[in-house]
C-alpha cells in the first residue's frame, strides 16, 4: 500500500511538472514570492509561541491552569456526550468566556456569518447540558480582569501590548463578535493603565496626576511660542519640503502629525517627559525614535507622504486625509476621545473603558466607518490596534504600517486564514521597507477543541499545498 501511494505521488508529480512546462508561456504569476531581498516575508508562531514570541521549532498549545481549568474540563465532558456533533460551545469557550455564553443563548448571531458557522451551541443531550450548566456557573466572570484571565485572551492582550510598546500596529482577527468586544474593552483598559503608570514614572508624579500633566504637555504642541512646537514644525517642513505635490495639504498634514505626537499614547513611549528635557532636542529625539521594525517616525512619515503623493490619485488622497482628520485625537478618554467613535462603534461598551487607538470592526459597523478605519489603520496614525471580524478579511489593504497579525480565533478553512494574513502581506507591505518578516500568530489552547481545530486546518493546508504543486515536506 505504501509503494502504491508513493508511485501515485510520483506519477502525479511528473505530470504536474509536464503541465507546468506546457502552461509556462501563458502563466504570469501563480505563487507569491515567499521572501523579499532574502528575508522571509512571514514567520508563523503557533500555539504558545504567542507568549514567548519565539520560533523554537516545537509546537505546543497554551496551557490551561488555575481557575480556568474547571470550565474546560466540563466542556470536555459535555463534548464526549455527543461525539458525533460539532461542539460549538467548546469552540466558543476556547475563544472567550463571553463567546461561550453567547453560543448558549443564541443559535445564530454569535459570528459575522463566516462559512464555517454551526447552528447550535448545545450538545442536545440531557447529561451534556447538565455539564454545560455547571460550566456556566463555574465561569470566573466578575469584571474585565476576569475576562482577561481567559488563557487565550490573556495571551493576545500581552502580545498586543508588547507590540504597542515598540510602536508597532497590530491586527487581531476574531470569529466571535463577543470576543472582539471583550478584546477591545480589556486591551483599552490595560493600555490606559500602562499609559498612566508610564506617564507617572517619567513625570515623577502620582498616577492620578499623570493624565492631567500629559494633557498639559500635549497642549505645547499647539502653542506657537513653545520650543516643542517650533522643533516639530521645523522637522515637518523639512520632510514635507520633499513632496511638492502635497503642498496644498501641508498645513493639514502638520496639524494631523502634531495631534498624533501630543497623544499620551505617543508621549509615554517616545518623548522625554522630565521637566528639564521638554525642549527642541526632545522633539527631535521623538522624530528619531524607532519602532520595533527599526523605522523611525521620520522614516514612517516619509513612507506615508511618498505614498500620498506618488501612489494616490487625487480622490483617494482626499479620502485618506479626511479619514485621518476625523479619527485622530489627543486625549486618552473623555468627550474629545469619545467624539471620534461613531454611534455604530459603541455596541453596548462602557465608554470610559475604550481608547481611540484601539478599534473594533464587525458586521454591526457601518460600511463608511469600516472604510474610514481601514484608511487610518493604513497610515502612521490612529488606530494602532484593529480588532476585526470576517468583514475585514477580504478585499482591504492594511499592510503599509503593520506586520503583526494575531488569528485569535482559528478557522476550519485554511484559505480563510490565508485571506486574513493577506491583508498585511501585499505589494508595498511594511516587510519590504523594514526588512523584517510579518509575524503571524496562531494561538490555540492545548488539549481542547481549539487544538483539534488547529491540527485539522494545518493538515488541510499541507494537502492543499501538495495538490497545488508545492514541495511536500513531512
Amino acid at each position: 500500500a505504501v509503494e502504491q501511494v508513493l508511485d501515485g505521488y510520483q506519477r502525479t508529480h511528473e505530470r504536474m511538472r509536464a503541465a507546468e512546462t506546457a502552461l509556462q508561456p501563458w502563466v504570469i504569476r501563480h505563487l507569491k514570492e515567499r521572501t523579499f531581498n532574502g528575508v522571509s516575508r512571514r514567520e508563523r508562531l503557533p500555539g504558545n509561541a504567542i507568549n514567548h514570541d519565539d520560533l523554537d521549532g516545537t509546537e505546543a498549545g497554551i496551557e490551561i491552569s488555575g481557575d480556568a481549568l474547571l470550565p474546560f474540563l466540563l466542556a470536555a465532558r459535555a463534548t464526549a456526550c455527543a461525539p458525533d456533533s460539532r461542539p460549538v460551545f467548546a469552540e466558543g469557550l476556547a475563544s472567550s468566556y463571553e463567546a461561550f455564553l453567547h453560543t448558549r443563548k443564541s443559535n445564530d448571531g454569535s459570528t459575522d456569518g463566516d462559512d464555517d458557522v454551526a447552528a447550535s451551541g448545545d450538545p442536545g443531550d440531557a447529561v451534556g447540558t447538565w455539564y454545560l450548566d455547571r460550566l456556566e456557573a463555574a465561569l470566573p466572570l466578575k469584571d474585565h480582569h476576569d475576562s482577561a484571565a481567559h488563557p487565550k485572551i490573556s495571551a493576545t492582550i500581552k502580545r498586543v501590548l508588547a507590540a504597542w510598546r515598540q510602536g508597532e500596529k497590530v491586527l487581531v482577527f476574531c470569529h466571535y463578535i463577543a470576543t472582539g468586544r471583550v478584546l477591545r474593552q480589556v486591551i483599552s483598559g490595560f493600555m490606559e493603565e500602562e499609559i498612566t503608570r508610564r506617564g507617572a514614572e517619567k513625570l515623577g508624579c502620582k498616577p492620578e496626576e499623570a493624565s492631567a500633566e500629559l494633557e498639559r504637555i500635549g497642549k505645547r504642541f499647539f502653542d506657537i511660542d513653545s520650543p516643542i512646537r517650533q522643533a516639530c514644525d521645523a522637522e515637518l517642513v523639512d520632510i514635507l519640503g520633499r513632496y511638492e505635490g502635497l503642498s496644498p495639504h501641508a498645513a493639514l498634514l502638520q496639524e494631523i502629525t502634531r495631534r498624533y505626537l501630543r497623544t499620551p499614547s505617543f508621549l509615554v513611549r517616545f518623548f522625554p517627559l522630565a521637566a528639564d528635557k521638554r525642549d527642541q532636542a526632545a522633539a527631535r529625539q521623538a522624530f528619531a525614535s524607532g519602532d520595533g521594525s527599526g523605522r523611525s517616525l521620520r522614516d514612517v512619515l516619509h513612507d506615508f507622504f511618498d505614498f500620498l503623493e506618488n501612489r494616490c490619485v487625487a480622490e483617494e488622497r482626499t479620502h485618506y486625509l479626511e479619514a485621518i482628520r476625523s479619527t485622530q485625537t489627543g486625549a486618552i478618554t473623555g468627550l474629545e476621545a469619545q467624539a471620534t467613535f461613531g454611534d455604530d462603534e459603541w455596541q453596548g461598551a462602557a465608554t470610559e473603558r475604550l481608547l481611540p487607538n484601539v478599534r473594533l470592526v464587525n458586521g454591526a459597523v457601518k460600511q463608511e466607518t469600516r472604510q474610514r478605519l481601514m484608511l487610518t489603520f493604513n497610515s502612521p496614525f490612529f488606530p494602532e490596534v484593529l480588532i476585526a471580524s470576517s468583514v475585514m478579511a477580504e478585499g482591504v489593504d492594511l499592510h503599509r504600517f503593520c506586520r503583526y497579525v494575531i488569528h485569535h480565533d482559528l478557522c476550519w478553512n485554511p484559505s480563510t486564514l490565508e485571506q486574513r494574513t493577506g491583508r498585511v502581506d501585499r505589494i508595498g507591505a511594511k516587510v519590504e521597507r523594514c526588512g523584517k518578516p510579518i509575524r503571524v500568530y496562531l494561538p490555540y489552547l492545548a488539549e481542547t477543541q481549539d487544538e483539534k481545530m488547529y491540527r485539522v486546518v494545518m493538515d488541510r493546508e499541507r494537502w492543499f499545498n501538495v495538490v497545488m504543486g508545492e514541495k511536500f515536506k513531512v
Side-chain angles (χ1 to χ4, degrees):
V2 172
E3 289 177 352
Q4 289 176 357
V5 170
L6 292 174
D7 184 56
Y9 174 80
Q10 184 61 35
R11 289 199 310 272
T12 304
H13 179 83
E14 292 171 355
R15 291 175 184 178
M16 289 184 71
R17 294 292 84 82
E20 287 174 2
T21 301
L23 289 169
Q24 192 170 10
W26 307 99
V27 175
I28 297 174
R29 184 183 187 193
H30 68 293
L31 284 178
K32 185 181 294 184
E33 185 183 7
R34 301 299 184 185
T35 60
F36 186 82
N37 291 338
V39 176
S40 175
R41 289 188 73 97
R42 301 182 189 179
E43 287 181 349
R44 177 181 285 177
L45 296 99
N48 198 44
I50 192 172
N51 279 318
H52 52 73
D53 199 30
D54 184 28
L55 289 166
D56 58 5
T58 62
E59 278 195 15
I62 299 168
E63 292 296 329
I64 303 171
S65 60
D67 291 342
L69 190 56
L70 179 58
F72 284 94
L73 288 172
L74 291 168
R77 295 295 297 170
T79 301
C81 291
D84 296 327
S85 63
R86 176 178 168 186
V88 178
F89 60 86
E91 295 172 19
L93 181 63
S95 178
S96 67
Y97 297 136
E98 289 77 4
F100 164 77
L101 292 175
H102 203 149
T103 61
R104 292 214 73 197
K105 293 175 182 177
S106 174
N107 284 340
D108 53 34
S110 61
T111 73
D112 272 340
D114 295 41
D115 59 1
D116 62 350
V117 175
S120 173
D122 271 5
D125 172 88
V127 177
T129 300
W130 184 90
Y131 279 118
L132 293 187
D133 290 340
R134 303 287 80 71
L135 192 168
E136 187 169 334
L139 290 179
L141 273 178
K142 295 182 180 65
D143 57 33
H144 76 281
H145 286 283
D146 292 328
S147 297
H150 182 284
K152 191 156 69 164
I153 291 280
S154 174
T156 296
I157 293 169
K158 290 176 182 176
R159 183 51 47 206
V160 167
L161 290 176
W164 169 79
R165 291 185 197 105
Q166 296 182 312
E168 296 281 2
K169 293 199 174 197
V170 187
L171 177 60
V172 183
F173 280 107
C174 293
H175 182 68
Y176 291 93
I177 294 172
T179 299
R181 292 171 179 168
V182 167
L183 280 171
R184 176 177 63 164
Q185 194 91 358
V186 294
I187 289 172
S188 293
F190 281 99
M191 190 178 290
E192 182 183 352
E193 291 172 8
E194 181 155 347
I195 288 171
T196 301
R197 179 184 58 78
R198 281 185 166 219
E201 289 176 357
K202 287 183 129 182
L203 291 165
C205 67
K206 297 178 180 178
E208 56 268 25
E209 300 170 349
S211 294
E213 184 63 18
L214 288 169
E215 181 67 17
R216 190 178 67 80
I217 295 172
K219 290 180 179 178
R220 296 188 183 185
F221 287 86
F222 291 89
D223 179 359
I224 296 176
D225 297 324
S226 165
I228 293 176
R229 161 70 182 267
Q230 293 171 356
C232 284
D233 284 353
E235 289 281 349
L236 289 168
V237 166
D238 178 62
I239 296 172
L240 285 165
R242 308 181 193 186
Y243 306 97
E244 294 182 4
L246 297 181
S247 55
H249 312 288
L252 175 59
L253 288 168
Q254 287 186 49
E255 180 188 359
I256 288 170
T257 305
R258 281 198 301 269
R259 285 168 60 189
Y260 173 66
L261 295 178
R262 66 159 283 194
T263 61
S265 175
F266 182 87
L267 290 175
V268 299
R269 290 178 294 170
F270 304 116
F271 200 86
L273 294 177
D276 59 343
K277 293 184 179 180
R278 302 170 198 165
D279 52 17
Q280 292 184 336
R284 288 192 290 270
Q285 180 179 329
F287 276 87
S289 61
D291 61 17
S293 302
R295 304 288 291 172
S296 69
L297 176 61
R298 193 178 291 113
D299 295 331
V300 169
L301 291 174
H302 272 299
D303 292 339
F304 184 57
F305 296 156
D306 177 74
F307 166 72
L308 289 178
E309 180 174 66
N310 299 313
R311 294 175 176 81
C312 286
V313 296
E315 184 179 6
E316 184 182 10
R317 185 183 305 122
T318 300
H319 290 326
Y320 262 100
L321 295 174
E322 183 55 39
I324 295 164
R325 179 165 50 186
S326 64
T327 303
Q328 189 62 50
T329 180
I332 299 179
T333 55
L335 295 178
E336 183 185 355
Q338 292 178 19
T340 69
F341 288 87
D343 292 339
D344 53 329
E345 292 187 79
W346 292 116
Q347 301 182 32
T351 57
E352 69 276 6
R353 295 297 299 178
L354 299 187
L355 295 189
N357 60 332
V358 182
R359 303 307 266 260
L360 171 67
V361 179
N362 57 27
V365 175
K366 297 176 183 176
Q367 182 61 42
E368 55 266 32
T369 305
R370 298 179 200 173
Q371 181 70 12
R372 173 168 55 85
L373 292 175
M374 180 198 77
L375 293 174
T376 52
F377 188 77
N378 220 20
S379 79
F381 311 115
F382 281 8
E384 297 173 303
V385 179
L386 186 62
I387 301 161
S389 72
S390 59
V391 299
M392 296 290 272
E394 294 185 35
V396 297
D397 294 336
L398 303 169
H399 61 295
R400 296 195 176 279
F401 299 96
C402 175
R403 66 179 188 91
Y404 282 76
V405 181
I406 301 176
H407 297 283
H408 180 85
D409 291 336
L410 298 175
C411 179
W412 295 102
N413 188 343
S415 67
T416 299
L417 296 178
E418 175 59 31
Q419 284 287 346
R420 292 176 183 175
T421 304
R423 299 313 94 212
V424 298
D425 189 1
R426 307 178 76 75
I427 295 173
K430 185 172 182 177
V431 61
E432 297 177 6
R433 296 191 301 278
C434 70
K436 293 188 177 181
I438 296 164
R439 306 283 279 178
V440 183
Y441 297 92
L442 298 161
Y444 62 87
L445 299 177
E447 301 179 82
T448 67
Q449 180 72 6
D450 212 23
E451 178 163 0
K452 177 181 177 181
M453 182 180 287
Y454 172 77
R455 300 296 177 191
V456 168
V457 74
M458 289 299 104
D459 265 352
R460 289 176 177 175
E461 181 186 69
R462 279 191 287 270
W463 282 112
F464 177 79
N465 290 340
V466 171
V467 171
M468 294 303 292
E470 292 194 12
K471 292 180 180 179
F472 181 37
K473 294 187 293 185
V474 178

